Amino acid sequence: MPYGGGGIRSSSPPRVEIVPPTPTTSIERRIRFGDFHSLTIPNARCPVCGASVFFYQNAHGSRVFFDELGPPWPKHPCTDRTSNQAMVHRIVVAVPQVAQPKHRADWLLEGWTPYRIVRDPRGRDDRTILRNYATGDYVEARVEPGRLAGIPVVYARMQGGRLILSAVTGGSITPVYIETASFRRLAKKPALTGFLLHVEIEKRLWRELDAKAQVSAILKHRFSRLGLRRH
Ligand SMILES: [Zn+2]
């Protein structure tokens, strides 16, 4: 056995249940506002040593086993070796058959909290709106949205008076850390104003008109088939 640290040794393969990959392997599909404890429960077994681990797959199709699903993003050693990369690509997610799964989240103790990247309705190119998964509160951070492109969830914590963001990104699932220039808490979700609000209202009106037209077309068709006339 190439790795002997803390794994579950077993001569027979662990009992596994094959589940669709997306809901369990992407961070954003595993959590809800007010509840992110699922990020602390391993969702897979290491195919080499049998330890319970976090199987993660991103939009690029890259897959990795983490020992913890959060900063500093520790990759599970067995499957981090190049020789074992093939196993990562063969694996299907195995949900551990454990009644009371062991929570693992040193990142939580170290002050990190997951935040959702929210589309800024004002479309500013120097700020990013984040929403705290624990409290539901909104924060506006001085970070170009482009730096967080393709990242739905970041982890954030205070460090020396600064808000630091962390996520894994790209085909190689590299951890990134972004120091925000400044940040402020928002009283509520930023709302549209001025021209953007006008555009949004117009869009909604068009959708409603469209829906009404469709309903009347359906009714017309139904009555014509029955040879009836509407009164
Ligand atoms: Zn392992």
Side-chain angles (χ1 to χ4, degrees):
M1 188 164 288
Y3 173 63
I8 298 159
R9 287 154 190 279
S10 169
S11 51
S12 60
R15 223 179 104 216
V16 298
E17 182 187 327
I18 296 163
V19 296
T22 318
T24 50
T25 59
S26 74
I27 292 175
E28 68 274 19
R29 295 285 295 272
R30 287 180 67 164
I31 52 179
R32 286 176 293 142
F33 288 102
D35 180 15
F36 58 82
H37 86 283
S38 62
L39 296 185
T40 70
I41 303 170
N43 66 342
R45 275 191 197 287
C46 169
V48 179
C49 74
S52 53
V53 288
F54 294 87
F55 179 75
Y56 169 84
Q57 182 169 280
N58 68 12
H60 299 266
S62 300
R63 299 143 171 214
V64 70
F65 287 108
F66 286 115
D67 276 330
E68 285 202 24
L69 201 56
W73 308 100
K75 283 182 180 163
H76 184 62
C78 298
T79 44
D80 194 27
R81 298 191 191 120
T82 342
S83 57
N84 286 325
Q85 281 299 312
M87 295 196 77
V88 181
H89 290 280
R90 270 209 310 272
I91 196 75
V92 285
V93 172
V95 176
Q97 304 297 302
V98 182
Q100 287 179 314
K102 195 165 146 264
H103 293 244
R104 279 211 309 268
D106 278 352
W107 51 268
L108 203 52
L109 302 177
E110 285 160 14
W112 295 98
T113 304
Y115 282 72
R116 180 87 192 183
I117 308 277
V118 181
R119 194 178 70 91
D120 189 344
R122 301 161 305 175
R124 300 194 52 161
D125 58 8
D126 61 342
R127 279 142 217 243
T128 300
I129 308 290
L130 308 167
R131 190 174 181 202
N132 189 317
Y133 268 105
T135 62
D137 293 338
Y138 292 91
V139 170
E140 181 192 72
R142 279 276 294 277
V143 174
E144 293 160 34
R147 295 185 69 187
L148 296 163
I151 301 174
V153 175
V154 289
Y155 292 58
R157 78 168 176 190
M158 291 300 298
Q159 215 168 290
R162 292 278 173 97
L163 188 71
I164 310 291
L165 310 180
S166 176
V168 278
T169 181
S172 54
I173 312 186
T174 315
V176 289
Y177 293 90
I178 297 168
E179 193 176 310
T180 64
S182 68
F183 74 97
R184 65 189 180 105
R185 288 174 215 291
L186 302 175
K188 55 185 170 62
K189 187 180 180 180
L192 292 171
T193 52
F195 178 69
L196 288 173
L197 177 64
H198 174 75
V199 169
E200 207 48 48
I201 290 170
E202 289 244 312
K203 273 198 225 160
R204 182 168 55 79
L205 290 173
W206 276 111
R207 275 198 301 272
E208 283 172 11
L209 281 173
D210 202 40
K212 275 183 195 157
Q214 283 181 26
V215 168
S216 82
I218 290 165
L219 288 175
K220 206 170 145 193
H221 175 71
R222 186 183 295 165
F223 282 99
S224 70
R225 277 187 59 193
L226 294 171
L228 298 170
R229 287 183 59 213
R230 286 183 77 192
H231 297 284

